[in-house]
């Protein structure tokens, strides 16, 4: 009897751990802390005099960022994780989504990352960068959002190349970027791990089954 009860409780624990491992908070496809993020392929400035070097840092490696960049990307994470309507962040992006006939409820962020530069003290006098990033989450790409000095921008020139794995865009300013994709058909994001309302009913159900099994076992032994 004790072995049966212990087995049932083990199942409950495994389920809870599974939810914790795979839950995606808010409007993320999956937790960005588990996502490797995109890799820089190329970053060219339109000015030949520019010596700036680009660095792409995924949210997973945010602790390597300077204080301001760290604060910005964590702020962006909280906005997206809160479940904020992604189309409400920028009017141009909202119009673009509507024009494509997409539903806001079917959008999510697949990659959250910071782009910064170093090795150029006069970069403000230089032009924009043409950037190429590689990522394996671009098959349902919708758009690229940029959080720039407290304002959300829609990078309208961002597009996926024919290989389906390379994102190309041109920007002058840097800070956090969020890749927005369309969810897989029929997919449903798991709630944040802090959402007890999702887990509790299932735990109660499993515990009820365990209790029934124990009661039946006791009854059989007393007959």
């Amino acid at each position: 009897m004790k072995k049966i009860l212990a087995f049932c409780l083990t199942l409950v624990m495994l389920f809870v751990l599974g939810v914790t491992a795979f839950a995606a908070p808010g409007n993320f496809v999956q937790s960005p802390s588990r996502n490797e993020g995109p890799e820089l392929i190329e970053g060219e400035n339109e000015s030949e005099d520019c010596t700036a070097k680009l660095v792409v840092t995924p949210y997973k490696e945010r602790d390597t960022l300077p204080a301001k960049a760290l604060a910005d990307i964590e702020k962006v994470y909280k906005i997206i994780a809160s479940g904020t309507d992604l189309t409400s962040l920028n009017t141009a992006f909202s119009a673009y989504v509507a024009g494509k006939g997409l539903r806001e409820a079917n959008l999510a962020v697949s990659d959250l990352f910071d782009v910064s530069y170093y090795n150029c003290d006069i970069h403000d006098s230089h032009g924009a960068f043409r950037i190429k990033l590689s990522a394996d989450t671009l098959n349902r790409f919708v758009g690229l959002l940029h959080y720039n000095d407290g304002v959300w921008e829609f990078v309208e020139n961002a597009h996926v190349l024919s290989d389906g794995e390379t994102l190309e865009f041109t920007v002058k300013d840097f800070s956090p970027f969020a890749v927005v994709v369309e969810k897989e058909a029929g997919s449903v994001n798991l709630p944040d791990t802090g959402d007890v309302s999702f887990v509790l009913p299932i735990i109660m159900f499993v515990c009820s089954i365990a209790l029934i099994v124990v009661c039946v076992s006791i009854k059989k032994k007393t007959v």
Side-chain angles (χ1 to χ4, degrees):
M1 179 180 67
K2 291 183 179 180
K3 290 183 178 180
I4 295 175
L5 181 58
F7 175 74
C8 294
L9 292 176
T10 299
L11 290 178
V12 173
M13 292 177 63
L14 289 175
F15 174 80
V16 173
L17 289 175
V19 170
T20 302
F22 293 103
N27 285 321
F28 287 103
V29 173
Q30 67 172 353
S31 173
S33 294
R34 298 175 55 241
N35 192 353
E36 295 297 331
E39 295 183 3
L40 178 66
I41 298 177
E42 183 181 307
E44 292 184 353
N45 190 275
E46 60 187 11
S47 172
E48 295 182 355
D49 296 329
C50 184
T51 59
K53 302 297 182 182
L54 297 185
V55 177
V56 175
T57 306
Y59 182 80
K60 180 180 181 179
E61 300 173 8
R62 63 192 181 281
D63 290 340
T64 63
L65 293 170
K68 184 182 184 306
L70 175 61
D72 284 345
I73 200 169
E74 290 188 336
K75 182 177 181 179
V76 168
Y77 168 83
K78 291 178 181 178
I79 293 172
I80 299 172
S82 70
T84 300
D85 181 343
L86 294 177
T87 60
S88 70
L89 300 178
N90 179 275
T91 54
F93 179 64
S94 178
Y96 176 80
V97 169
K100 290 289 184 179
L102 302 175
R103 295 184 303 109
E104 188 283 327
N106 203 35
L107 301 181
V109 172
S110 62
D111 293 281
L112 175 60
F113 58 95
D114 173 87
V115 179
S116 300
Y117 71 88
Y118 66 96
N119 199 39
C120 185
D121 297 330
I122 56 172
H123 181 69
D124 289 342
S125 63
H126 294 157
F129 268 96
R130 181 173 61 85
I131 301 172
K132 289 184 179 180
L133 303 176
S134 66
D136 56 6
T137 57
L138 301 173
N139 60 320
R140 300 177 72 85
F141 176 78
V142 174
L144 181 66
L145 293 175
H146 178 207
Y147 188 75
N148 185 16
D149 197 20
V151 177
W152 285 96
E153 300 173 345
F154 175 39
V155 186
E156 299 187 40
N157 60 60
H159 61 283
V160 178
L161 301 186
S162 58
D163 62 4
E165 297 179 351
T166 303
L167 178 65
E168 183 179 47
F169 58 98
T170 300
V171 291
K172 180 175 176 58
D173 299 311
F174 300 122
S175 50
F177 290 84
V179 175
V180 181
V181 298
E182 188 178 11
K183 298 176 189 176
E184 295 291 344
S187 68
V188 178
N189 268 8
L190 288 173
D192 194 354
T193 54
D195 188 355
V196 181
S197 62
F198 170 75
V199 181
L200 187 58
I202 300 178
I203 293 178
M204 292 177 65
F205 173 77
V206 175
C207 289
S208 297
I209 296 298
L211 182 59
I212 292 173
V213 170
V214 171
C215 291
V216 170
S217 298
I218 293 175
K219 184 177 182 180
K220 286 183 177 180
K221 288 185 177 182
T222 57
V223 172

